[in-house]
Amino acid sequence: MKYELFEQLKKVLEKDERLVAEGELLRNRIVELARQGDALLLKHLLADAQTKSAFFTDVEGVQVFDSERFVRFVNNKEFLPDSYTAFKNKIGLAEGDEFVSEKKEVVLNWPYKDCVLEGGQTKEDAKRDEVFWNETLAPDQIHRLLDPKVFTDLKRIDAKGEHPLDGFKTDENGDIKDNLIVKGNNLLALHSLKARFAGKVKLIYIDPPYNTGGDTFGYNDKFNHSAWLTFMRNRLEVAKELLANDGSIWINIDDNESHYLKVLCDGIFGRENFVANIVWRKTYTVSSDSQGIPASHDDILVYQGGSKFTRNLLPRSEKQDSLYKYDDGDGMGLYRTDNLSVKTYSKEYDYEIENPTTGKKYNPPAGRCWVTSREKIGQWIKENRVFFGKDGKGAPQLKRYLKEVQGGIVPNTWWDYDEVGHNDQSRKEMKVLFPESIGKELFATPKPERLLQRIVHTGTKDNDLVLDFFAGSGTTLAVAHKMGRQYIGVEQMEYIHDLPEARLKKVIAGEQGGISKEVGWKGGGDFVYAELMPLNQVFKEKVEKAKDPKELAKVWDEIQEKGFLSYKLDMKEFNKEAKDFAALPLADQKRFILESLDYNQLYVNKSEIEDVTYTVSAADKKLNKEFYG
């Protein structure tokens, strides 16, 4: 039995004082010595028949240590369990011994970077795995999890207020043209949206949780990092299905995960579809008490949906046009001067240019040549396209006319805050939008509207569809609305009403913050609000909000009466161990109850819309039928 081996291995390792601190085994130290082939560690393992049989193979009388199997076993979360894991093992909710990265699991939730998290660790490198409200489901737990869900509470919101939705706007092809905001788990929402919008989204922008280990929580990277990547993989795989062949996805991330995310995206979207890694300088000051080398930028990874993607040129600024300050009065208009030579040398283009006024001849600088042929330069001189100084007696320069430059500027990968805004500006934008929030941290990481304006401008045209499934403060949606794009936003947190929904109501009313004046925004338009119809999600939220064991006990009683529990939970065994459960800390009690829920029943599946148990209204049935076709 695996658990017997756990206990025996623990006894063997406790004999080595190097592996024990304050009466507890040091997991990381054990792994380190195993990978080094430490002689004393191997001696201990060989001296015990059970551990020798488990981790060594006899090859012609020589015992060969299977270090990888040993490390996998030690890294199993059920080895060296804390009180919570020990209790879970008794009840039957134990997991297998595979690494997270080796499973085809689904990570439903990740702690949001704007939440205050409970939980933590002591002696992080030596002891406990992390505690956080993050659900990872193995393949055998996933049955109907990703099936399309029932939408409910649908309403249209415009300048006159909220109205029950009487139908979706569609075009001649039957495509939905409404702006949508969806409340619910974003992974499950994406799989529902896929039924109607697969291959139709022109631009996806997301600002996911950065996995920084901030707030009040301590992370253990050996597990946390891989779970975060799995969390992202689950969502990016379905996002790829939604993305149009001529579309693009833009992912805002920082250095904690950007390089790993790049490798993940290469595998999902294809290395050949990588477009750029844009560096956005997001701050203009550095705290005087910063330790190490503080970050002043974010990365924005850009991938194309397919070979048909083309980026748009950026609009020219007044500053750039101001460089064109000369006018000869010949009807050609304003121009600026430019170098006539290039550093890519060609003997054919290395010749003398004669000043027609003075007769003086000029050669290109050493190691360089003229930009074009002798004949072409001669023609330009006749057409007055070569500048020889204000008095006509200087060296030759090229005249570049403003009317002949392309209609915009080619975007590059360096975006400075003076062009697209910075973090402080975005926080000020939020305070202007929500003056009642002054003095409060309404949202920790909003993005400036100018940043999203550049992204939306570069990747879309009028009426194209934009998706943000980490809607957060609603910047993407607000900018898309002002710029005349269709959009879909997904957000699970309750602040969907106080932030993106409330923000879009202000946009419709004509608010003049952010990019409003620049784009001439006057107000108008509408959007449709919808929710995934909740089942266990209701109980999940109640568990997370419970403030003490007494309140949690009431929620647990309600779940047992009305909720859907995991088939892995044996209630008879639970009742036997009820005292042990009651002795657990509140955080561990919550964690157990959350893991006891059947996550296939978080929301009502569309396939069960006619089941009277779920009391789906006639109006919702009609709208769901219209949405799913």
Side-chain angles (χ1 to χ4, degrees):
M1 290 279 298
K2 179 171 62 175
Y3 298 115
E4 292 176 0
L5 182 56
F6 281 158
E7 292 304 313
Q8 186 61 26
L9 178 59
K10 183 178 178 181
K11 292 177 182 178
V12 170
L13 295 175
E14 285 173 342
K15 297 176 182 178
D16 191 334
E17 61 182 15
R18 300 173 301 167
L19 307 179
V20 182
E22 296 182 10
E24 296 198 33
L25 284 169
L26 306 178
R27 187 196 302 264
N28 289 356
R29 182 62 174 156
I30 295 168
V31 170
E32 178 186 355
L33 292 178
R35 293 197 184 281
Q36 294 173 358
D38 180 77
L40 183 56
L41 173 63
L42 299 185
K43 181 179 178 180
H44 290 313
L45 296 173
L46 283 167
D48 182 84
Q50 194 170 356
T51 56
K52 176 181 176 180
S53 173
F55 303 117
F56 291 84
T57 302
D58 186 291
V59 180
E60 298 183 357
V62 178
Q63 297 297 319
V64 179
F65 179 48
D66 189 341
S67 62
E68 289 305 314
R69 184 169 191 270
F70 178 81
V71 169
R72 284 166 57 104
F73 195 85
V74 171
N75 275 333
N76 186 340
K77 291 192 294 176
E78 297 165 42
F79 182 61
L80 307 180
D82 56 21
S83 60
Y84 170 74
T85 306
F87 174 77
K88 191 177 72 169
N89 291 346
K90 292 180 183 179
I91 301 304
L93 286 178
E95 298 176 1
D97 62 354
E98 296 176 334
F99 287 136
V100 171
S101 60
E102 294 175 340
K103 300 177 183 177
K104 293 185 177 179
E105 73 285 338
V106 167
V107 178
L108 274 176
N109 297 312
W110 189 261
Y112 287 74
K113 56 177 175 274
D114 299 288
C115 289
V116 175
L117 306 177
E118 296 186 16
Q121 297 171 234
T122 58
K123 298 190 177 177
E124 180 178 20
D125 292 335
K127 295 185 179 179
R128 299 176 54 192
D129 285 322
E130 57 287 329
V131 177
F132 54 88
W133 312 137
N134 170 72
E135 291 82 33
T136 302
L137 305 186
D140 65 349
Q141 296 175 278
I142 304 166
H143 308 298
R144 300 173 302 156
L145 178 72
L146 303 180
D147 290 350
K149 308 303 178 190
V150 171
F151 290 100
T152 189
D153 196 23
L154 296 102
K155 54 190 175 185
R156 185 176 300 283
I157 299 175
D158 56 24
K160 296 181 179 179
E162 300 180 2
H163 321 278
L165 186 66
D166 56 7
F168 293 97
K169 299 175 184 176
T170 57
D171 63 12
E172 62 275 10
N173 299 317
D175 291 334
I176 291 176
K177 306 309 291 183
D178 273 309
N179 301 316
L180 302 176
I181 297 184
V182 179
K183 183 178 186 292
N185 180 283
N186 60 2
L187 176 63
L188 308 188
L190 287 174
H191 278 279
S192 297
L193 293 168
K194 183 176 67 176
R196 195 64 189 254
F197 295 101
K200 296 177 182 179
V201 178
K202 189 65 176 291
L203 184 144
I204 299 173
Y205 170 83
I206 55 173
D207 178 23
Y210 287 0
N211 192 17
T212 61
D215 297 312
T216 60
F217 186 81
Y219 283 91
N220 184 332
D221 285 341
K222 76 170 179 61
F223 176 77
N224 173 67
H225 165 68
S226 58
W228 183 88
L229 287 172
T230 304
F231 168 88
M232 292 302 298
R233 183 198 70 197
N234 298 152
R235 286 147 181 79
L236 293 176
E237 284 175 343
V238 64
K240 180 183 178 182
E241 297 183 60
L242 289 160
L243 199 59
N245 184 258
D246 61 346
S248 58
I249 181 168
W250 305 60
I251 309 173
N252 210 119
I253 198 70
D254 73 359
D255 282 344
N256 285 285
E257 293 288 0
S258 63
H259 303 85
Y260 298 97
L261 184 61
K262 169 67 166 63
V263 175
L264 179 68
C265 289
D266 282 347
I268 294 173
F269 299 102
R271 289 189 67 184
E272 70 280 4
N273 288 318
F274 173 67
V275 176
N277 177 26
I278 292 169
V279 178
W280 167 44
R281 188 182 178 200
K282 63 182 181 180
T283 62
Y284 63 92
T285 59
V286 176
S287 175
S288 59
D289 60 353
S290 295
Q291 300 297 313
I293 303 176
S296 61
H297 77 280
D298 272 357
D299 294 309
I300 303 176
L301 298 179
V302 186
Y303 283 81
Q304 60 185 8
S307 58
K308 294 185 178 180
F309 169 73
T310 56
R311 55 97 182 103
N312 298 319
L313 297 173
L314 299 177
R316 299 184 60 80
S317 67
E318 292 183 9
K319 181 179 178 181
Q320 289 160 336
D321 286 348
S322 68
L323 298 174
Y324 295 81
K325 55 187 177 182
Y326 303 113
D327 189 343
D328 290 341
D330 57 1
M332 291 294 290
L334 295 170
Y335 68 87
R336 67 176 178 87
T337 59
D338 200 359
N339 201 334
L340 260 179
S341 69
V342 292
K343 63 181 179 181
T344 305
Y345 184 78
S346 168
K347 185 176 181 180
E348 181 184 358
Y349 290 174
D350 188 353
Y351 52 85
E352 294 178 333
I353 295 178
E354 181 178 336
N355 184 314
T357 301
T358 66
K360 185 176 179 179
K361 296 178 179 179
Y362 295 89
N363 291 98
R368 298 172 69 93
C369 64
W370 300 122
V371 69
T372 188
S373 66
R374 185 190 300 269
E375 292 74 24
K376 187 68 173 179
I377 292 289
Q379 179 182 344
W380 284 354
I381 292 174
K382 291 179 181 178
E383 294 175 351
N384 196 30
R385 287 176 171 268
V386 178
F387 182 73
F388 289 98
K390 292 182 179 181
D391 58 2
K393 298 178 180 180
Q397 298 179 71
L398 178 63
K399 291 181 180 180
R400 292 199 181 275
Y401 290 95
L402 178 58
K403 70 177 184 180
E404 293 179 348
V405 299
Q406 59 184 343
I409 301 164
V410 176
N412 60 33
T413 58
W414 171 251
W415 292 9
D416 209 343
Y417 59 73
D418 60 353
E419 299 174 346
V420 295
H422 47 70
N423 283 340
D424 188 54
Q425 181 182 31
S426 57
R427 294 187 186 100
K428 289 177 180 176
E429 288 176 355
M430 294 296 290
K431 290 176 181 178
V432 170
L433 279 169
F434 302 100
E436 65 276 12
S437 71
I438 294 176
K440 302 176 183 178
E441 186 72 282
L442 189 63
F443 193 83
T445 56
K447 296 297 178 283
E449 289 198 5
R450 283 198 293 159
L451 175 67
L452 270 299
Q453 179 189 20
R454 174 169 288 193
I455 290 171
V456 171
H457 175 90
T458 304
T460 67
K461 293 181 172 61
D462 289 350
N463 302 313
D464 282 343
L465 179 56
V466 175
L467 168 65
D468 184 346
F469 50 89
F470 291 95
S473 64
T475 304
T476 305
L477 314 182
V479 169
H481 196 110
K482 294 176 184 180
M483 293 180 68
R485 272 63 166 177
Q486 183 187 358
Y487 55 85
I488 301 174
V490 182
E491 180 55 65
Q492 179 174 342
M493 303 300 285
E494 282 299 319
Y495 57 61
I496 189 172
H497 303 295
D498 298 327
L499 285 173
E501 181 184 342
R503 183 172 187 171
L504 284 169
K505 289 178 179 178
K506 292 175 181 284
V507 170
I508 290 171
E511 58 90 356
Q512 291 298 295
I515 65 168
S516 293
K517 291 183 174 61
E518 184 178 345
V519 301
W521 179 247
K522 302 298 183 184
D526 57 27
F527 64 93
V528 170
Y529 174 88
E531 297 183 3
L532 302 186
M533 189 171 188
L535 282 177
N536 271 353
Q537 180 64 26
V538 173
F539 299 119
K540 182 173 177 294
E541 292 171 2
K542 287 184 178 181
V543 169
E544 292 170 348
K545 291 177 181 177
K547 297 178 181 178
D548 54 55
K550 186 176 181 180
E551 183 179 345
L552 184 63
K554 292 181 180 179
V555 177
W556 181 224
D557 288 341
E558 187 180 1
I559 290 173
Q560 294 176 68
E561 179 184 354
K562 302 177 182 178
F564 297 85
L565 292 171
S566 169
Y567 69 92
K568 296 173 69 176
L569 177 64
D570 187 333
M571 284 304 300
K572 290 182 180 178
E573 291 298 318
F574 172 82
N575 291 330
K576 289 180 183 178
E577 307 293 340
K579 290 183 179 179
D580 287 351
F581 174 77
L584 292 173
L586 178 63
D588 283 346
Q589 289 186 12
K590 286 186 175 185
R591 184 181 178 191
F592 170 78
I593 295 175
L594 289 175
E595 291 192 33
S596 300
L597 294 173
D598 181 355
Y599 283 98
N600 291 283
Q601 301 284 351
L602 279 179
Y603 302 95
V604 179
N605 284 345
K606 180 179 74 73
S607 59
E608 297 170 338
I609 197 169
E610 297 296 340
D611 190 326
V612 295
T613 305
Y614 305 120
T615 62
V616 182
S617 69
D620 281 350
K621 288 179 182 179
K622 173 181 176 294
L623 291 169
N624 277 270
K625 183 176 181 180
E626 183 179 340
F627 179 88
Y628 287 111

